[in-house]
Amino acid sequence: MGIAKRTVHATEATFSAIADAQEERAELSGIPANYFENRADQLDKAVGELAAKRTETRAAYAKDKAALITEMDFEKKALLEQHEKNKAERLAALERDFNAKMAEIDDERDQLKQQAKDFHHQAQMYSDNKLRCSYFDCLRGKASVPKERAGMLLFQALMIGGMVSIMTSFNGYRHSGLDFFINYHWMYPLTFCITFLIREWFMNDFTEAIIHQYILPNFQGAKKATLITLTNIVCMVPLMSTLMTCMIYGIDNLGQTLLEQVPITMLVGACVNFFIVSPIVKMFYNNVIVANSQGETGTYNRFQELIMPILSAFNS
C-alpha cells in the first residue's frame, strides 16, 4: 500500500516536472504555447480564402468570356448584314446597268425593225405608183411619220422651218408692220436655230412622253392628230413667245406683253400647224422624199449617208 502511493506520487511529480520544464522552455524561447495551433488555423483560413477567390475568378472569367462571345457574335452579325447589303446594292446596280443596256439594244432593234417595215411598205407603194398620202390623210392622222433618227431629224427641220417662217412673220407684222421684214429679217434663222436646239435638248422628250402616255393609247384618227398638235403648241408657244419678245422688246412689261400675245399666238399656231404646216410637211416627206428614196442615188439615202456620221459624233 505504501509502495503504491509512493509510486503514484512519484509519477505525478514526474509529469508535473515535465510540464514545468516545457513551460519554462517556452517562456525561455518567447513563443506562446498555442502558437503553432494558431498559425496552422491562420494558414488553413488563408487556403480557404484562396480557394474561394479562385472560384470567384473562374466565375468572372466565364462571365467575361460569355460577354465577349456575345459581343463578337453581334459584330459578326452586323458585318454579315453590311456584307449582304453591299452585295445587294452592287447586284442591283449591275442589274440596272444590264437593263439599261438591254433597253437601249431593244430600242435600237425596234427602230431598225420599224424602219425596215416602213421601207418595205414604201417599196410596195412605190411599185404600185400610189401617192403616199393625201391632205385629208394628214388631217385624219393616217399619214406616216419617220421613226428612224435621220428621218425624224429631217422631218423636224421641215416642221420647224414652216412654223418659224409663218409664226415669226405673223407676230412680227402684228407689232412692227412691214418694217419687221426690213429690220428684223435676222429673226428667221436665229429663231429656227433656237427652236431646233430647244426641241433637240429637252422638248422632244417632254412632248413625246405626254403623247405616248396619254394620247396614243386613248385616241385615234383626227382626235389623235389634233391632240398631238395642241400638245406641241401648248409646250412651245409660251417659251418661244417669251424668247422672241425679249429679243425684240426687252423685258420691260414682259408679263403684260405675253398676256396679250400668247393666247392669239397659240390659237393661230394651232391652226397653222394642223391645217397648213403639218399636212404640207407630211405630204412632202412621204410623197417626194420617201418616194424618191429607192436605190443608192435616192434623195433620202443620200441624206442618211450625210447626216448619220454627224449624228453619231453628236451622240458620242
Side-chain angles (χ1 to χ4, degrees):
M1 184 69 178
I3 295 171
K5 289 182 178 180
R6 285 196 296 273
T7 302
V8 171
H9 181 73
T11 301
E12 292 177 351
T14 300
F15 282 120
S16 177
I18 292 171
D20 291 339
Q22 289 178 347
E23 290 180 359
E24 289 178 358
R25 189 182 304 145
E27 290 176 357
L28 290 174
S29 62
I31 299 174
N34 58 351
Y35 170 77
F36 294 102
E37 289 78 1
N38 293 336
R39 185 60 179 167
D41 293 339
Q42 291 176 357
L43 292 175
D44 290 338
K45 183 178 180 181
V47 171
E49 291 177 352
L50 289 175
K53 187 174 181 180
R54 187 172 182 273
T55 303
E56 181 181 353
T57 301
R58 184 181 293 277
Y61 165 75
K63 182 179 179 181
D64 292 342
K65 181 180 179 181
L68 180 60
I69 291 174
T70 302
E71 181 180 354
M72 294 298 292
D73 288 340
F74 281 135
E75 292 181 0
K76 179 181 177 181
K77 182 179 179 181
L79 290 174
L80 288 175
E81 291 177 353
Q82 185 64 34
H83 172 73
E84 292 297 328
K85 182 179 179 181
N86 293 337
K87 178 181 175 182
E89 291 177 353
R90 295 179 66 180
L91 287 175
L94 182 62
E95 184 176 0
R96 286 195 301 270
D97 293 340
F98 169 75
N99 292 333
K101 292 179 180 179
M102 291 299 294
E104 183 179 353
I105 293 173
D106 291 341
D107 289 341
E108 185 176 357
R109 180 199 61 189
D110 293 340
Q111 289 181 6
L112 292 176
K113 289 174 63 177
Q114 184 62 43
Q115 183 178 357
K117 181 179 178 181
D118 291 342
F119 271 93
H120 283 306
H121 182 65
Q122 292 162 10
Q124 182 64 35
M125 296 294 290
Y126 182 78
S127 63
D128 296 338
N129 196 22
K130 293 182 179 179
L131 197 65
R132 291 294 300 164
C133 65
S134 66
Y135 178 80
F136 291 103
D137 289 333
C138 299
L139 296 184
R140 289 193 293 264
K142 295 183 178 181
S144 62
V145 295
K147 303 297 189 301
E148 73 281 359
R149 181 65 173 139
M152 292 172 61
L153 192 66
L154 177 59
F155 186 83
Q156 178 173 270
L158 294 173
M159 287 289 295
I160 292 175
M163 289 299 296
V164 165
S165 298
I166 296 177
M167 295 308 298
T168 301
S169 300
F170 172 76
N171 288 314
Y173 181 77
R174 284 180 61 215
H175 294 284
S176 303
L178 295 176
D179 183 63
F180 175 81
F181 300 101
I182 299 174
N183 297 321
Y184 293 98
H185 53 273
W186 51 267
M187 286 288 294
Y188 292 99
L190 180 61
T191 306
F192 175 85
C193 293
I194 293 175
T195 305
F196 190 87
L197 291 176
I198 289 175
R199 295 293 305 188
E200 280 295 306
W201 280 342
F202 66 91
M203 192 59 72
N204 280 341
D205 295 334
F206 181 71
T207 55
E208 286 296 322
I210 296 175
I211 292 170
H212 284 83
Q213 182 73 22
Y214 300 105
I215 298 177
L216 295 183
N218 302 313
F219 301 95
Q220 296 294 330
K223 291 182 179 180
K224 179 185 73 173
T226 303
L227 290 175
I228 291 175
T229 298
L230 291 177
T231 300
N232 285 285
I233 291 298
V234 170
C235 293
M236 287 298 296
V237 166
L239 180 59
M240 294 308 300
S241 295
T242 303
L243 293 176
M244 290 187 63
T245 302
C246 292
M247 285 190 294
I248 299 176
Y249 306 106
I251 61 174
D252 295 335
N253 298 322
L254 179 61
Q256 181 179 357
T257 304
L258 292 178
L259 189 62
E260 296 174 355
Q261 287 185 357
V262 169
I264 185 64
T265 303
M266 290 181 66
L267 178 61
V268 174
C271 294
V272 168
N273 185 289
F274 186 78
F275 292 106
I276 300 176
V277 175
S278 181
I280 291 176
V281 170
K282 290 177 181 177
M283 287 190 296
F284 177 76
Y285 179 81
N286 289 287
N287 300 336
V288 177
I289 297 177
V290 175
N292 294 317
S293 64
Q294 307 299 318
E296 296 181 355
T297 60
T299 305
Y300 184 71
N301 289 335
R302 291 202 305 270
F303 174 76
Q304 278 191 314
E305 293 176 358
L306 174 65
I307 199 65
M308 290 308 295
I310 300 176
L311 290 177
S312 299
F314 180 78
N315 293 331
S316 62

